[in-house]
Amino acid sequence: MKLLLIGYGNVGKAFRRLLHEKKDNYPILQGVEIAGIITRQGLMVGDKENFSPDKQLTVLEAIDYINPDVIVDMSVPNYKDGEPSVSAYIKALSRKIHVITVNKAPLALKFREIFEVAEKTGAKIGFQGTVMSGTPSINLFRIQPVAEVSRIRGILNGTTNYILTRIYEGLSFNEALKEAKEKGYAEEDPTLDLNGFDAAAKLTILSNFIMNRSLKLGDFKFKGITEITNEEIRRAKSEGKKIKLIAYADNYVVQVSPQIIGPQDPLYYIDGVENALEIQNEIQRIIIRGPGAGPINAAYGALSDLVLLLEGCL
Amino acid sequence: MKLLLIGYGNVGKAFRRLLHEKKDNYPILQGVEIAGIITRQGLMVGDKENFSPDKQLTVLEAIDYINPDVIVDMSVPNYKDGEPSVSAYIKALSRKIHVITVNKAPLALKFREIFEVAEKTGAKIGFQGTVMSGTPSINLFRIQPVAEVSRIRGILNGTTNYILTRIYEGLSFNEALKEAKEKGYAEEDPTLDLNGFDAAAKLTILSNFIMNRSLKLGDFKFKGITEITNEEIRRAKSEGKKIKLIAYADNYVVQVSPQIIGPQDPLYYIDGVENALEIQNEIQRIIIRGPGAGPINAAYGALSDLVLLLEGCL
Protein backbone atom coordinates (compact mmCIF):
# COMPACT_ATOMS: atom_id res chain seq x y z
CA MET A 1 0.00 0.00 0.00
CA LYS A 2 1.54 3.24 -1.22
CA LEU A 3 1.05 6.46 0.72
CA LEU A 4 1.46 10.02 -0.52
CA LEU A 5 1.87 12.41 2.40
CA ILE A 6 0.67 15.97 1.92
CA GLY A 7 2.55 18.32 4.24
CA TYR A 8 5.62 17.55 6.27
CA GLY A 9 5.50 19.69 9.38
CA ASN A 10 5.46 18.41 12.96
CA VAL A 11 2.51 16.09 12.40
CA GLY A 12 3.89 14.68 9.15
CA LYS A 13 7.23 14.00 10.78
CA ALA A 14 5.59 12.39 13.80
CA PHE A 15 3.44 10.23 11.51
CA ARG A 16 6.45 9.03 9.53
CA ARG A 17 8.36 8.19 12.73
CA LEU A 18 5.41 6.40 14.31
CA LEU A 19 4.76 4.36 11.17
CA HIS A 20 8.37 3.19 11.10
CA GLU A 21 8.38 2.44 14.82
CA LYS A 22 5.24 0.32 14.58
CA LYS A 23 5.95 -1.50 11.34
CA ASP A 24 8.14 -4.16 12.93
CA ASN A 25 5.63 -5.21 15.54
CA TYR A 26 2.40 -5.00 13.61
CA PRO A 27 2.22 -7.29 10.57
CA ILE A 28 -0.74 -5.36 9.21
CA LEU A 29 1.55 -2.36 8.57
CA GLN A 30 4.30 -4.28 6.86
CA GLY A 31 3.10 -3.70 3.32
CA VAL A 32 2.74 0.05 3.88
CA GLU A 33 5.29 2.38 2.31
CA ILE A 34 5.59 6.13 2.00
CA ALA A 35 5.98 6.58 -1.75
CA GLY A 36 6.30 10.34 -1.66
CA ILE A 37 5.87 13.51 0.35
CA ILE A 38 4.51 16.67 -1.27
CA THR A 39 4.83 20.14 0.24
CA ARG A 40 4.71 23.65 -1.20
CA GLN A 41 8.36 23.13 -2.11
CA GLY A 42 7.58 20.21 -4.38
CA LEU A 43 7.53 16.42 -4.31
CA MET A 44 10.11 14.27 -2.56
CA VAL A 45 9.94 10.80 -4.08
CA GLY A 46 10.34 7.90 -1.68
CA ASP A 47 10.67 7.84 2.10
CA LYS A 48 13.43 9.94 3.60
CA GLU A 49 13.49 11.72 6.93
CA ASN A 50 14.95 15.00 5.70
CA PHE A 51 12.84 16.69 3.13
CA SER A 52 14.32 17.84 -0.16
CA PRO A 53 12.16 18.13 -3.24
CA ASP A 54 12.97 15.95 -6.25
CA LYS A 55 10.36 17.41 -8.58
CA GLN A 56 8.60 20.72 -8.87
CA LEU A 57 5.05 19.37 -8.88
CA THR A 58 1.73 20.52 -7.45
CA VAL A 59 -0.31 18.25 -5.17
CA LEU A 60 -2.57 17.26 -8.07
CA GLU A 61 0.41 16.47 -10.28
CA ALA A 62 2.00 14.48 -7.47
CA ILE A 63 -1.08 12.26 -7.29
CA ASP A 64 -0.61 11.43 -10.98
CA TYR A 65 3.11 10.93 -10.58
CA ILE A 66 2.98 8.71 -7.47
CA ASN A 67 -0.40 7.05 -8.09
CA PRO A 68 -0.78 6.21 -4.39
CA ASP A 69 -3.34 3.95 -2.71
CA VAL A 70 -3.89 6.50 0.03
CA ILE A 71 -3.20 10.20 0.44
CA VAL A 72 -2.49 11.30 4.00
CA ASP A 73 -3.17 15.01 4.47
CA MET A 74 -1.09 16.52 7.26
CA SER A 75 -1.10 20.03 5.87
CA VAL A 76 -2.15 23.22 7.64
CA PRO A 77 -5.84 24.11 7.22
CA ASN A 78 -6.62 26.68 4.56
CA TYR A 79 -10.03 27.95 5.56
CA LYS A 80 -10.35 30.27 2.56
CA ASP A 81 -11.28 27.48 0.16
CA GLY A 82 -9.69 24.33 1.53
CA GLU A 83 -7.26 24.15 -1.38
CA PRO A 84 -5.21 22.43 -2.56
CA SER A 85 -6.58 19.66 -0.34
CA VAL A 86 -10.20 19.79 -1.54
CA SER A 87 -9.18 19.28 -5.17
CA ALA A 88 -6.71 16.60 -4.14
CA TYR A 89 -9.41 14.68 -2.23
CA ILE A 90 -11.86 14.93 -5.14
CA LYS A 91 -9.25 13.74 -7.60
CA ALA A 92 -8.05 10.94 -5.33
CA LEU A 93 -11.46 9.69 -4.24
CA SER A 94 -12.81 9.70 -7.79
CA ARG A 95 -10.01 7.27 -8.66
CA LYS A 96 -10.73 5.18 -5.56
CA ILE A 97 -7.62 6.43 -3.81
CA HIS A 98 -8.44 6.62 -0.09
CA VAL A 99 -7.99 9.77 1.98
CA ILE A 100 -6.77 10.05 5.55
CA THR A 101 -6.67 13.56 6.95
CA VAL A 102 -5.93 15.54 10.07
CA ASN A 103 -6.65 18.77 8.15
CA LYS A 104 -10.03 20.15 9.19
CA ALA A 105 -10.57 22.76 6.46
CA PRO A 106 -11.66 20.55 3.53
CA LEU A 107 -14.27 18.66 5.58
CA ALA A 108 -15.50 21.78 7.39
CA LEU A 109 -16.01 23.52 4.04
CA LYS A 110 -17.06 20.76 1.60
CA PHE A 111 -18.10 17.75 3.64
CA ARG A 112 -20.98 16.52 1.46
CA GLU A 113 -19.24 17.19 -1.85
CA ILE A 114 -16.24 15.17 -0.74
CA PHE A 115 -18.26 12.30 0.72
CA GLU A 116 -20.45 12.08 -2.37
CA VAL A 117 -17.41 11.33 -4.51
CA ALA A 118 -16.23 8.73 -2.01
CA GLU A 119 -19.63 7.05 -1.97
CA LYS A 120 -19.63 6.78 -5.76
CA THR A 121 -16.31 4.98 -5.97
CA GLY A 122 -16.24 3.22 -2.61
CA ALA A 123 -13.06 5.02 -1.56
CA LYS A 124 -12.77 5.59 2.17
CA ILE A 125 -12.11 8.70 4.24
CA GLY A 126 -10.41 8.54 7.64
CA PHE A 127 -10.64 11.76 9.61
CA GLN A 128 -10.27 10.88 13.28
CA GLY A 129 -7.38 13.35 13.51
CA THR A 130 -9.57 16.33 12.58
CA VAL A 131 -11.41 16.26 15.92
CA MET A 132 -9.68 15.68 19.28
CA SER A 133 -6.58 14.40 17.55
CA GLY A 134 -5.80 10.87 18.77
CA THR A 135 -8.60 10.76 21.34
CA PRO A 136 -11.42 8.71 19.79
CA SER A 137 -14.16 11.05 18.59
CA ILE A 138 -15.01 10.41 14.93
CA ASN A 139 -13.99 6.78 15.25
CA LEU A 140 -15.93 6.38 18.49
CA PHE A 141 -19.08 6.47 16.37
CA ARG A 142 -17.83 3.62 14.22
CA ILE A 143 -18.11 1.30 17.25
CA GLN A 144 -21.46 2.71 18.34
CA PRO A 145 -23.55 1.94 15.29
CA VAL A 146 -27.34 1.86 14.97
CA ALA A 147 -28.15 4.38 17.69
CA GLU A 148 -29.41 7.85 16.84
CA VAL A 149 -27.40 10.64 18.42
CA SER A 150 -29.64 13.40 19.70
CA ARG A 151 -27.05 15.72 21.23
CA ILE A 152 -23.33 16.32 21.37
CA ARG A 153 -21.55 18.77 23.65
CA GLY A 154 -17.88 19.26 24.03
CA ILE A 155 -14.75 21.21 24.74
CA LEU A 156 -13.02 20.85 21.38
CA ASN A 157 -10.32 23.52 21.48
CA GLY A 158 -7.36 23.06 23.80
CA THR A 159 -5.86 26.53 23.35
CA THR A 160 -8.91 28.41 24.59
CA ASN A 161 -9.52 25.89 27.36
CA TYR A 162 -5.93 26.35 28.53
CA ILE A 163 -6.29 30.14 28.55
CA LEU A 164 -9.63 30.04 30.38
CA THR A 165 -8.14 27.67 32.95
CA ARG A 166 -5.16 29.92 33.59
CA ILE A 167 -7.31 33.05 33.90
CA TYR A 168 -9.47 31.13 36.38
CA GLU A 169 -6.28 30.38 38.29
CA GLY A 170 -5.38 34.07 38.46
CA LEU A 171 -3.53 35.13 35.31
CA SER A 172 -4.67 37.95 33.04
CA PHE A 173 -5.75 37.13 29.50
CA ASN A 174 -2.49 38.42 28.07
CA GLU A 175 -0.37 36.48 30.56
CA ALA A 176 -2.35 33.32 29.86
CA LEU A 177 -2.01 33.76 26.09
CA LYS A 178 1.71 34.43 26.38
CA GLU A 179 2.16 31.29 28.49
CA ALA A 180 0.09 29.23 26.03
CA LYS A 181 2.38 30.38 23.22
CA GLU A 182 5.50 29.61 25.21
CA LYS A 183 4.26 26.09 25.91
CA GLY A 184 3.35 25.51 22.28
CA TYR A 185 -0.38 25.37 23.05
CA ALA A 186 -1.13 28.49 20.98
CA GLU A 187 0.18 29.38 17.57
CA GLU A 188 1.97 32.63 16.81
CA ASP A 189 -1.31 33.87 15.32
CA PRO A 190 -3.94 32.33 17.60
CA THR A 191 -6.92 34.11 16.01
CA LEU A 192 -8.70 30.98 14.72
CA ASP A 193 -8.53 29.37 18.15
CA LEU A 194 -9.52 32.44 20.12
CA ASN A 195 -12.50 33.43 17.97
CA GLY A 196 -14.09 29.97 18.09
CA PHE A 197 -13.37 29.19 14.45
CA ASP A 198 -11.35 26.04 15.14
CA ALA A 199 -14.01 24.63 17.49
CA ALA A 200 -16.70 25.50 14.94
CA ALA A 201 -14.81 23.62 12.22
CA LYS A 202 -14.66 20.53 14.44
CA LEU A 203 -18.32 20.83 15.38
CA THR A 204 -19.24 21.11 11.69
CA ILE A 205 -17.40 17.87 10.92
CA LEU A 206 -18.88 16.05 13.93
CA SER A 207 -22.45 17.19 13.22
CA ASN A 208 -22.23 16.25 9.56
CA PHE A 209 -20.82 12.83 10.31
CA ILE A 210 -22.87 11.87 13.36
CA MET A 211 -26.12 13.75 12.95
CA ASN A 212 -26.23 13.54 9.18
CA ARG A 213 -26.20 17.29 8.68
CA SER A 214 -24.97 19.12 5.58
CA LEU A 215 -23.36 22.04 7.37
CA LYS A 216 -20.58 24.26 6.16
CA LEU A 217 -18.52 26.54 8.33
CA GLY A 218 -20.47 29.78 8.59
CA ASP A 219 -23.88 28.10 8.64
CA PHE A 220 -24.14 28.54 12.40
CA LYS A 221 -23.03 31.07 14.98
CA PHE A 222 -19.81 30.72 16.79
CA LYS A 223 -18.27 32.92 19.39
CA GLY A 224 -14.83 32.61 20.93
CA ILE A 225 -13.33 33.77 24.18
CA THR A 226 -12.04 37.19 23.16
CA GLU A 227 -15.03 39.06 24.57
CA ILE A 228 -14.90 37.35 27.97
CA THR A 229 -13.49 39.65 30.62
CA ASN A 230 -11.28 38.46 33.45
CA GLU A 231 -13.94 39.96 35.70
CA GLU A 232 -16.60 37.61 34.31
CA ILE A 233 -14.37 34.61 34.90
CA ARG A 234 -13.68 35.71 38.48
CA ARG A 235 -17.35 36.35 39.14
CA ALA A 236 -18.23 32.87 37.87
CA LYS A 237 -15.48 31.47 40.09
CA SER A 238 -16.83 33.27 43.15
CA GLU A 239 -20.13 31.50 42.48
CA GLY A 240 -18.38 28.13 42.22
CA LYS A 241 -18.57 28.09 38.43
CA LYS A 242 -16.31 28.23 35.40
CA ILE A 243 -16.62 29.67 31.91
CA LYS A 244 -15.92 27.11 29.18
CA LEU A 245 -16.07 27.37 25.41
CA ILE A 246 -18.74 24.79 24.61
CA ALA A 247 -19.47 23.31 21.20
CA TYR A 248 -23.07 22.12 21.12
CA ALA A 249 -25.34 20.45 18.59
CA ASP A 250 -28.77 18.90 18.87
CA ASN A 251 -31.55 18.50 16.32
CA TYR A 252 -32.35 22.21 16.44
CA VAL A 253 -29.30 24.14 17.57
CA VAL A 254 -25.67 24.12 16.46
CA GLN A 255 -23.37 26.61 18.15
CA VAL A 256 -20.03 27.36 19.74
CA SER A 257 -20.18 29.80 22.64
CA PRO A 258 -18.80 30.47 26.10
CA GLN A 259 -21.02 29.00 28.80
CA ILE A 260 -21.03 29.36 32.57
CA ILE A 261 -21.14 25.85 33.99
CA GLY A 262 -21.11 24.44 37.50
CA PRO A 263 -19.58 21.40 39.18
CA GLN A 264 -22.58 19.20 38.35
CA ASP A 265 -21.49 19.41 34.68
CA PRO A 266 -18.81 16.88 33.73
CA LEU A 267 -17.21 19.44 31.40
CA TYR A 268 -16.47 21.65 34.46
CA TYR A 269 -13.54 19.34 35.25
CA ILE A 270 -11.92 19.50 31.83
CA ASP A 271 -9.04 21.90 32.38
CA GLY A 272 -5.91 22.94 30.52
CA VAL A 273 -5.43 21.63 27.01
CA GLU A 274 -7.61 18.58 27.57
CA ASN A 275 -10.67 18.05 25.33
CA ALA A 276 -13.90 16.21 26.04
CA LEU A 277 -16.97 15.11 24.13
CA GLU A 278 -20.33 14.20 25.60
CA ILE A 279 -22.61 12.11 23.42
CA GLN A 280 -26.28 11.54 24.11
CA ASN A 281 -27.94 8.91 22.01
CA GLU A 282 -31.26 7.11 22.39
CA ILE A 283 -29.66 4.48 24.62
CA GLN A 284 -27.17 6.29 26.83
CA ARG A 285 -24.96 9.26 27.57
CA ILE A 286 -21.23 8.71 27.42
CA ILE A 287 -18.30 11.10 27.78
CA ILE A 288 -14.79 10.70 26.48
CA ARG A 289 -11.87 12.93 27.44
CA GLY A 290 -8.25 13.08 26.47
CA PRO A 291 -5.62 15.22 24.77
CA GLY A 292 -7.09 17.18 21.87
CA ALA A 293 -3.84 18.22 20.23
CA GLY A 294 -0.14 17.50 19.87
CA PRO A 295 1.79 16.26 16.82
CA ILE A 296 2.19 12.71 18.14
CA ASN A 297 -1.47 12.52 19.08
CA ALA A 298 -2.59 13.72 15.65
CA ALA A 299 -0.17 11.32 13.99
CA TYR A 300 -1.62 8.54 16.10
CA GLY A 301 -5.14 9.51 15.00
CA ALA A 302 -4.05 9.22 11.37
CA LEU A 303 -2.22 5.95 11.96
CA SER A 304 -5.31 4.52 13.67
CA ASP A 305 -7.30 5.43 10.56
CA LEU A 306 -4.69 3.71 8.40
CA VAL A 307 -4.97 0.49 10.39
CA LEU A 308 -8.77 0.62 10.28
CA LEU A 309 -8.56 1.17 6.52
CA LEU A 310 -6.28 -1.86 6.15
CA GLU A 311 -8.73 -3.90 8.23
CA GLY A 312 -11.61 -2.77 6.01
CA CYS A 313 -13.21 -0.92 8.92
CA LEU A 314 -13.32 2.68 7.76
CA MET B 1 -27.37 -14.63 9.09
CA LYS B 2 -28.99 -16.94 11.63
CA LEU B 3 -28.72 -16.21 15.35
CA LEU B 4 -29.19 -18.60 18.24
CA LEU B 5 -29.88 -16.70 21.47
CA ILE B 6 -28.77 -18.33 24.70
CA GLY B 7 -30.87 -17.05 27.59
CA TYR B 8 -34.02 -14.98 27.41
CA GLY B 9 -34.13 -12.78 30.48
CA ASN B 10 -34.24 -8.99 30.49
CA VAL B 11 -31.18 -8.60 28.29
CA GLY B 12 -32.30 -11.23 25.80
CA LYS B 13 -35.71 -9.59 25.52
CA ALA B 14 -34.18 -6.13 25.13
CA PHE B 15 -31.83 -7.46 22.44
CA ARG B 16 -34.67 -9.01 20.47
CA ARG B 17 -36.72 -5.80 20.69
CA LEU B 18 -33.79 -3.60 19.70
CA LEU B 19 -32.90 -5.82 16.75
CA HIS B 20 -36.46 -5.62 15.43
CA GLU B 21 -36.63 -1.86 16.01
CA LYS B 22 -33.41 -1.25 14.10
CA LYS B 23 -33.87 -3.70 11.25
CA ASP B 24 -36.04 -1.38 9.17
CA ASN B 25 -33.65 1.54 9.21
CA TYR B 26 -30.32 -0.22 8.93
CA PRO B 27 -29.89 -2.28 5.75
CA ILE B 28 -26.93 -4.11 7.25
CA LEU B 29 -29.29 -5.82 9.72
CA GLN B 30 -31.87 -6.88 7.20
CA GLY B 31 -30.51 -10.36 6.60
CA VAL B 32 -30.34 -11.11 10.32
CA GLU B 33 -32.89 -13.46 11.84
CA ILE B 34 -33.31 -15.06 15.23
CA ALA B 35 -33.51 -18.75 14.35
CA GLY B 36 -33.99 -19.97 17.89
CA ILE B 37 -33.79 -19.16 21.58
CA ILE B 38 -32.47 -21.70 24.07
CA THR B 39 -33.01 -21.49 27.82
CA ARG B 40 -32.92 -24.04 30.63
CA GLN B 41 -36.50 -24.87 29.65
CA GLY B 42 -35.48 -25.98 26.16
CA LEU B 43 -35.32 -24.60 22.64
CA MET B 44 -37.90 -22.33 21.08
CA VAL B 45 -37.53 -22.53 17.30
CA GLY B 46 -37.92 -19.29 15.38
CA ASP B 47 -38.45 -15.75 16.61
CA LYS B 48 -41.37 -15.15 18.94
CA GLU B 49 -41.69 -12.65 21.76
CA ASN B 50 -43.21 -14.99 24.32
CA PHE B 51 -41.01 -17.91 25.14
CA SER B 52 -42.38 -21.44 25.01
CA PRO B 53 -40.04 -24.35 24.36
CA ASP B 54 -40.60 -26.46 21.25
CA LYS B 55 -37.94 -29.07 21.94
CA GLN B 56 -36.27 -30.41 25.06
CA LEU B 57 -32.70 -29.81 23.97
CA THR B 58 -29.51 -28.72 25.72
CA VAL B 59 -27.51 -25.72 24.49
CA LEU B 60 -25.06 -28.03 22.68
CA GLU B 61 -27.88 -29.94 21.02
CA ALA B 62 -29.54 -26.67 20.04
CA ILE B 63 -26.38 -25.62 18.15
CA ASP B 64 -26.65 -28.83 16.11
CA TYR B 65 -30.35 -28.41 15.58
CA ILE B 66 -30.31 -24.72 14.55
CA ASN B 67 -26.83 -24.61 12.98
CA PRO B 68 -26.62 -20.84 13.48
CA ASP B 69 -24.05 -18.39 12.07
CA VAL B 70 -23.76 -16.68 15.44
CA ILE B 71 -24.61 -17.59 19.00
CA VAL B 72 -25.55 -14.65 21.21
CA ASP B 73 -25.04 -15.46 24.89
CA MET B 74 -27.34 -13.44 27.14
CA SER B 75 -27.38 -15.97 29.96
CA VAL B 76 -26.55 -15.36 33.61
CA PRO B 77 -22.87 -15.91 34.52
CA ASN B 78 -22.07 -19.27 36.08
CA TYR B 79 -18.76 -18.63 37.80
CA LYS B 80 -18.38 -22.24 38.96
CA ASP B 81 -17.20 -23.48 35.57
CA GLY B 82 -18.75 -21.16 33.00
CA GLU B 83 -21.01 -23.92 31.70
CA PRO B 84 -22.93 -24.52 29.58
CA SER B 85 -21.56 -21.42 27.80
CA VAL B 86 -17.90 -22.47 27.71
CA SER B 87 -18.70 -25.73 25.94
CA ALA B 88 -21.12 -23.95 23.65
CA TYR B 89 -18.45 -21.39 22.63
CA ILE B 90 -15.85 -24.10 22.00
CA LYS B 91 -18.28 -26.11 19.92
CA ALA B 92 -19.50 -23.07 17.99
CA LEU B 93 -16.09 -21.49 17.37
CA SER B 94 -14.55 -24.77 16.25
CA ARG B 95 -17.23 -24.86 13.52
CA LYS B 96 -16.57 -21.21 12.66
CA ILE B 97 -19.81 -20.11 14.26
CA HIS B 98 -19.22 -16.65 15.74
CA VAL B 99 -19.89 -15.81 19.38
CA ILE B 100 -21.32 -12.59 20.80
CA THR B 101 -21.63 -12.50 24.55
CA VAL B 102 -22.61 -10.28 27.45
CA ASN B 103 -21.92 -13.16 29.87
CA LYS B 104 -18.64 -12.54 31.71
CA ALA B 105 -18.06 -15.96 33.25
CA PRO B 106 -16.73 -17.91 30.24
CA LEU B 107 -14.16 -15.24 29.31
CA ALA B 108 -13.16 -14.57 32.92
CA LEU B 109 -12.52 -18.29 33.45
CA LYS B 110 -11.25 -19.60 30.09
CA PHE B 111 -10.20 -16.61 28.00
CA ARG B 112 -7.17 -18.14 26.29
CA GLU B 113 -8.75 -21.53 25.66
CA ILE B 114 -11.73 -19.90 23.98
CA PHE B 115 -9.66 -17.49 21.90
CA GLU B 116 -7.31 -20.23 20.76
CA VAL B 117 -10.20 -22.09 19.16
CA ALA B 118 -11.42 -18.90 17.50
CA GLU B 119 -7.96 -18.16 16.12
CA LYS B 120 -7.75 -21.62 14.60
CA THR B 121 -10.97 -21.33 12.65
CA GLY B 122 -11.15 -17.57 12.13
CA ALA B 123 -14.45 -17.32 13.99
CA LYS B 124 -14.97 -14.00 15.79
CA ILE B 125 -15.86 -13.18 19.38
CA GLY B 126 -17.74 -9.99 20.30
CA PHE B 127 -17.73 -9.23 24.01
CA GLN B 128 -18.28 -5.49 24.41
CA GLY B 129 -21.25 -6.24 26.65
CA THR B 130 -19.14 -8.06 29.25
CA VAL B 131 -17.48 -4.82 30.43
CA MET B 132 -19.36 -1.53 30.94
CA SER B 133 -22.31 -2.85 28.98
CA GLY B 134 -23.03 -0.52 26.03
CA THR B 135 -20.36 2.05 26.95
CA PRO B 136 -17.38 1.41 24.65
CA SER B 137 -14.67 -0.43 26.59
CA ILE B 138 -13.60 -3.60 24.79
CA ASN B 139 -14.51 -2.10 21.44
CA LEU B 140 -12.73 1.15 22.28
CA PHE B 141 -9.47 -0.75 21.82
CA ARG B 142 -10.49 -1.83 18.33
CA ILE B 143 -10.29 1.81 17.22
CA GLN B 144 -7.06 2.48 19.10
CA PRO B 145 -4.77 -0.04 17.45
CA VAL B 146 -0.97 -0.16 17.46
CA ALA B 147 -0.42 1.56 20.80
CA GLU B 148 0.75 -0.40 23.82
CA VAL B 149 -1.45 0.05 26.88
CA SER B 150 0.61 0.40 30.03
CA ARG B 151 -2.14 0.94 32.59
CA ILE B 152 -5.88 0.73 33.00
CA ARG B 153 -7.88 1.95 35.98
CA GLY B 154 -11.57 2.00 36.37
CA ILE B 155 -14.81 1.88 38.26
CA LEU B 156 -16.35 -1.19 36.70
CA ASN B 157 -19.15 -2.13 39.09
CA GLY B 158 -22.20 0.10 39.29
CA THR B 159 -23.82 -1.58 42.30
CA THR B 160 -20.91 -0.94 44.66
CA ASN B 161 -20.37 2.55 43.28
CA TYR B 162 -24.02 3.35 43.91
CA ILE B 163 -23.82 2.08 47.48
CA LEU B 164 -20.58 3.97 48.20
CA THR B 165 -22.12 7.13 46.76
CA ARG B 166 -25.22 6.85 48.93
CA ILE B 167 -23.21 6.15 52.09
CA TYR B 168 -21.11 9.21 51.25
CA GLU B 169 -24.39 11.13 51.05
CA GLY B 170 -25.45 9.99 54.51
CA LEU B 171 -27.14 6.61 54.34
CA SER B 172 -25.99 3.54 56.27
CA PHE B 173 -24.68 0.55 54.34
CA ASN B 174 -27.91 -1.35 54.88
CA GLU B 175 -30.09 1.57 53.81
CA ALA B 176 -27.97 2.06 50.70
CA LEU B 177 -28.11 -1.63 49.82
CA LYS B 178 -31.86 -1.71 50.35
CA GLU B 179 -32.30 1.30 48.10
CA ALA B 180 -30.04 -0.21 45.44
CA LYS B 181 -32.21 -3.33 45.44
CA GLU B 182 -35.41 -1.29 45.23
CA LYS B 183 -34.06 0.60 42.22
CA GLY B 184 -32.93 -2.58 40.49
CA TYR B 185 -29.24 -1.67 40.83
CA ALA B 186 -28.50 -4.63 43.09
CA GLU B 187 -29.65 -8.19 42.70
CA GLU B 188 -31.53 -10.10 45.38
CA ASP B 189 -28.22 -11.80 46.22
CA PRO B 190 -25.67 -9.03 45.69
CA THR B 191 -22.67 -11.03 46.98
CA LEU B 192 -20.70 -11.09 43.71
CA ASP B 193 -21.00 -7.35 43.35
CA LEU B 194 -20.23 -6.49 46.97
CA ASN B 195 -17.18 -8.73 47.31
CA GLY B 196 -15.46 -7.38 44.19
CA PHE B 197 -15.94 -10.55 42.18
CA ASP B 198 -17.88 -8.90 39.34
CA ALA B 199 -15.31 -6.12 38.96
CA ALA B 200 -12.51 -8.71 39.06
CA ALA B 201 -14.17 -10.70 36.27
CA LYS B 202 -14.32 -7.55 34.12
CA LEU B 203 -10.73 -6.63 34.92
CA THR B 204 -9.63 -10.15 33.96
CA ILE B 205 -11.29 -9.84 30.56
CA LEU B 206 -9.91 -6.33 29.96
CA SER B 207 -6.35 -7.25 30.99
CA ASN B 208 -6.34 -10.37 28.84
CA PHE B 209 -7.65 -8.55 25.81
CA ILE B 210 -5.74 -5.29 26.06
CA MET B 211 -2.54 -6.19 27.85
CA ASN B 212 -2.21 -9.65 26.40
CA ARG B 213 -2.37 -11.41 29.74
CA SER B 214 -3.51 -14.98 30.34
CA LEU B 215 -5.33 -14.38 33.59
CA LYS B 216 -8.11 -16.37 35.12
CA LEU B 217 -10.38 -15.19 37.88
CA GLY B 218 -8.58 -15.99 41.13
CA ASP B 219 -5.11 -15.24 39.74
CA PHE B 220 -5.08 -11.85 41.46
CA LYS B 221 -6.41 -10.37 44.66
CA PHE B 222 -9.71 -8.65 44.76
CA LYS B 223 -11.47 -7.01 47.63
CA GLY B 224 -14.96 -5.60 47.68
CA ILE B 225 -16.69 -3.00 49.78
CA THR B 226 -18.06 -5.17 52.57
CA GLU B 227 -15.23 -4.38 54.97
CA ILE B 228 -15.47 -0.62 54.52
CA THR B 229 -17.11 1.02 57.53
CA ASN B 230 -19.42 4.01 57.25
CA GLU B 231 -16.97 5.70 59.58
CA GLU B 232 -14.15 5.30 57.03
CA ILE B 233 -16.28 6.82 54.29
CA ARG B 234 -17.22 9.77 56.52
CA ARG B 235 -13.61 10.31 57.55
CA ALA B 236 -12.52 10.36 53.91
CA LYS B 237 -15.33 12.82 53.18
CA SER B 238 -14.21 15.11 55.99
CA GLU B 239 -10.82 15.21 54.29
CA GLY B 240 -12.42 16.06 50.93
CA LYS B 241 -12.03 12.52 49.63
CA LYS B 242 -14.13 9.55 48.59
CA ILE B 243 -13.69 5.80 48.75
CA LYS B 244 -14.13 4.09 45.38
CA LEU B 245 -13.78 0.46 44.35
CA ILE B 246 -10.96 0.69 41.81
CA ALA B 247 -9.98 -1.97 39.30
CA TYR B 248 -6.35 -1.49 38.35
CA ALA B 249 -3.88 -3.23 36.04
CA ASP B 250 -0.41 -2.29 34.87
CA ASN B 251 2.50 -4.45 33.78
CA TYR B 252 3.14 -5.58 37.36
CA VAL B 253 -0.03 -5.27 39.39
CA VAL B 254 -3.59 -6.45 38.79
CA GLN B 255 -6.07 -5.82 41.57
CA VAL B 256 -9.51 -4.70 42.63
CA SER B 257 -9.62 -2.82 45.90
CA PRO B 258 -11.21 0.15 47.64
CA GLN B 259 -9.09 3.28 47.32
CA ILE B 260 -9.30 6.68 48.94
CA ILE B 261 -9.14 9.23 46.14
CA GLY B 262 -9.30 13.01 46.01
CA PRO B 263 -10.79 15.58 43.64
CA GLN B 264 -7.68 15.65 41.45
CA ASP B 265 -8.56 12.10 40.36
CA PRO B 266 -11.10 11.97 37.50
CA LEU B 267 -12.66 8.85 39.02
CA TYR B 268 -13.65 10.93 42.08
CA TYR B 269 -16.53 12.36 40.04
CA ILE B 270 -17.97 9.02 38.93
CA ASP B 271 -20.97 8.61 41.20
CA GLY B 272 -24.02 6.38 41.38
CA VAL B 273 -24.26 3.51 38.93
CA GLU B 274 -21.99 5.18 36.37
CA ASN B 275 -18.80 3.37 35.28
CA ALA B 276 -15.53 4.79 33.98
CA LEU B 277 -12.34 3.50 32.45
CA GLU B 278 -9.02 5.32 32.29
CA ILE B 279 -6.54 4.06 29.70
CA GLN B 280 -2.90 5.05 29.61
CA ASN B 281 -1.02 4.05 26.50
CA GLU B 282 2.32 5.17 25.14
CA ILE B 283 0.70 8.10 23.33
CA GLN B 284 -1.98 9.44 25.64
CA ARG B 285 -4.32 9.03 28.56
CA ILE B 286 -8.02 8.93 27.80
CA ILE B 287 -11.06 8.35 30.00
CA ILE B 288 -14.47 7.13 29.00
CA ARG B 289 -17.51 7.15 31.25
CA GLY B 290 -21.08 6.05 30.86
CA PRO B 291 -23.67 3.63 32.16
CA GLY B 292 -22.15 0.28 33.09
CA ALA B 293 -25.34 -1.75 33.31
CA GLY B 294 -28.98 -1.98 32.33
CA PRO B 295 -30.69 -4.48 30.01
CA ILE B 296 -31.05 -2.03 27.10
CA ASN B 297 -27.41 -0.95 27.43
CA ALA B 298 -26.17 -4.53 27.47
CA ALA B 299 -28.41 -5.37 24.51
CA TYR B 300 -26.97 -2.38 22.69
CA GLY B 301 -23.43 -3.60 23.43
CA ALA B 302 -24.30 -6.96 21.86
CA LEU B 303 -26.05 -5.35 18.88
CA SER B 304 -22.98 -3.14 18.29
CA ASP B 305 -20.88 -6.29 18.19
CA LEU B 306 -23.30 -7.84 15.72
CA VAL B 307 -23.00 -4.84 13.38
CA LEU B 308 -19.20 -4.85 13.68
CA LEU B 309 -19.25 -8.58 12.89
CA LEU B 310 -21.38 -7.98 9.79
CA GLU B 311 -18.95 -5.23 8.73
CA GLY B 312 -16.01 -7.59 9.19
CA CYS B 313 -14.64 -5.44 12.00
CA LEU B 314 -14.62 -7.76 15.00
Side-chain angles (χ1 to χ4, degrees), chain A residues 22 26 145 148 282 300 313, chain B residues 22 26 134 145 148 282 300 313:
Chain A
K22 294 295 176 186
Y26 293 91
E148 310 294 330
E282 63 197 307
Y300 181 66
C313 297
Chain B
K22 294 295 174 185
Y26 293 91
E148 309 294 331
E282 62 195 307
Y300 181 65
C313 297

Side-chain angles (χ1 to χ4, degrees), chain A residues 156-178:
Chain A
L156 301 179
N157 180 274
T159 309
T160 47
N161 203 48
Y162 183 83
I163 291 170
L164 291 174
T165 301
R166 294 297 281 143
I167 298 175
Y168 179 90
E169 289 168 357
L171 298 194
S172 72
F173 179 87
N174 286 332
E175 287 165 343
L177 176 58
K178 186 163 169 277

Side-chain angles (χ1 to χ4, degrees), chain B residues 93-110:
Chain B
L93 294 166
S94 66
R95 294 188 188 177
K96 220 186 157 175
I97 296 167
H98 310 291
V99 171
I100 290 173
T101 180
V102 304
N103 174 0
K104 291 173 288 290
L107 296 181
L109 295 170
K110 308 255 175 178

